[in-house]
């Protein structure tokens, strides 16, 4: 078993602070992202064993356990080096990443997973729906076609809804929350902060950007999927909510003084998404 004894007190030097790491990552030719998505930040400590190591706006979580590390999501394709560097900045070793979990297989969250899997030797965990999209590198997306392709990634392990994965003393539970993609996944586990237990929830996007909602021939049960996921998310164990896009749950990772200006509960997140979804659905129905 690989040891984490290299994790030293040095890692606490950067605890609970975040700072910009300078120049933004370069834009891709095929898919231009908003600047905040590409603004690198130093690791931001979220709880005793969780750090945000992605960009100012795209979440990539590093979770430390006594038996190794877990990475959840990777952000855009050009984030792979930043991710690996940020693991080292924390005094940890990329080869100690045992698992990579992810939310959904779009370019802005799964973009660097193939490269990170290769560099770390970690087991990439997905589900059947998302693994198919990962394997195609995002090609043939139900709503976006081939406009957001990235390097294909091979999933090493497929999970079922409600399945748990244990590493060290931490137990991670996957909750299927389809809608934004048919394979969307949310993850819950427990950590501590300020000496108290903290139920962590990393909940997938619940948005439908530009989607045809009703009677979508590529996704006939889209409306039912979203509605069941709103209910599902509302009921998750959730003391601290994080989402693939920081602002979705009131985070602002690049703001060292106030990285979480508008904390949100899972119920608030689901309510907000549901309101937007139903309004969008009503508008589409009125104009169709
Ligand atoms: Zn997406």
């Amino acid at each position: 078993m690989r040891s984490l004894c290299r994790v030293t007190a040095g890692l606490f030097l950067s605890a609970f602070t975040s700072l910009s790491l300078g120049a933004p990552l370069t834009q891709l030719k095929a898919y231009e992202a908003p600047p905040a998505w590409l603004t690198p930040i130093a690791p931001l400590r979220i709880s005793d064993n969780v750090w945000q190591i992605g960009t100012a706006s795209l979440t990539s979580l590093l979770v430390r356990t006594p038996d190794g590390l877990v990475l959840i999501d990777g952000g855009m394709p050009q984030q792979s080096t930043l991710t690996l560097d940020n693991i080292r900045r924390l005094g940890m070793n990329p080869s100690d990443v045992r698992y990579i979990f992810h939310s959904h297989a779009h370019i802005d969250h799964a973009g660097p997973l193939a490269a990170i899997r290769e560099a770390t030797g970690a087991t990439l965990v997905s589900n059947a729906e998302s693994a198919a999209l990962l394997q195609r590198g995002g090609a043939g997306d139900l709503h976006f076609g081939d406009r957001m392709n990235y390097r294909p990634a091979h999933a090493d392990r497929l999970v079922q809804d409600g399945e748990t994965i244990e590493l060290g003393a931490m137990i991670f539970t996957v909750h299927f929350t389809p809608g934004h993609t048919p394979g969307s996944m949310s993850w819950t586990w427990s950590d501590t902060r300020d000496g108290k237990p903290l139920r962590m929830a990393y909940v997938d996007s619940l948005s439908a950007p530009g989607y045809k909602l009703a009677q979508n021939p590529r996704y006939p049960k889209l409306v039912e999927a979203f509605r069941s996921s709103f209910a599902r998310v509302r009921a998750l164990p959730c003391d601290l909510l994080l989402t693939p896009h920081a602002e979705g749950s009131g985070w602002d990772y690049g703001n060292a003084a106030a990285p979480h200006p508008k904390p949100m509960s899972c119920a608030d997140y689901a309510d907000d998404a549901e309101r937007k979804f139903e309004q969008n659905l009503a508008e589409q129905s009125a104009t169709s």
Side-chain angles (χ1 to χ4, degrees), residues 144-288:
F144 304 121
D146 293 337
R147 282 185 285 134
M148 301 200 314
N149 295 4
Y150 53 92
R151 187 179 153 198
H154 175 75
D156 302 290
R157 174 169 168 180
L158 301 184
V159 286
Q160 298 291 333
D161 190 15
E163 190 170 342
T164 57
I165 295 181
E166 187 170 354
L167 185 67
M170 283 200 183
I171 298 169
F172 299 85
T173 304
V174 63
H175 311 265
F176 288 9
T177 47
H180 184 79
T181 66
S184 282
M185 288 171 277
S186 299
W187 295 86
T188 59
W189 68 100
S190 286
D191 196 14
T192 52
R193 191 171 68 180
D194 302 327
K196 297 188 196 112
L198 193 66
R199 295 172 305 166
M200 313 288 291
Y202 183 60
V203 179
D204 198 13
S205 302
L206 294 175
S207 60
Y211 295 4
K212 173 178 167 50
L213 303 180
Q215 279 115 43
N216 186 322
R218 294 295 311 280
Y219 195 176
K221 301 220 165 154
L222 180 151
V223 173
E224 290 94 319
F226 268 102
R227 285 177 176 160
S228 75
S229 291
F230 298 140
R232 191 94 198 263
V233 168
R234 241 176 239 121
L236 290 177
C238 181
D239 296 326
L240 186 65
L241 171 66
L242 294 131
T243 47
H245 291 276
E247 63 280 7
S249 45
W251 287 88
D252 180 5
Y253 302 134
N255 183 349
H260 200 188
K262 291 181 233 152
M264 194 181 273
S265 68
C266 280
D268 289 343
Y269 180 63
D271 288 349
D272 193 44
E274 184 173 45
R275 209 176 305 116
K276 287 177 184 149
F277 180 87
E278 295 299 341
Q279 189 182 344
N280 189 356
L281 182 61
E283 283 166 9
Q284 286 190 16
S285 306
T287 55
S288 64

Side-chain angles (χ1 to χ4, degrees), residues 82-94:
L82 170 70
T83 303
L84 299 169
D85 286 348
N86 269 343
I87 293 172
R88 293 188 196 98
R89 275 187 188 99
L90 287 167
M92 304 187 204
N93 193 325

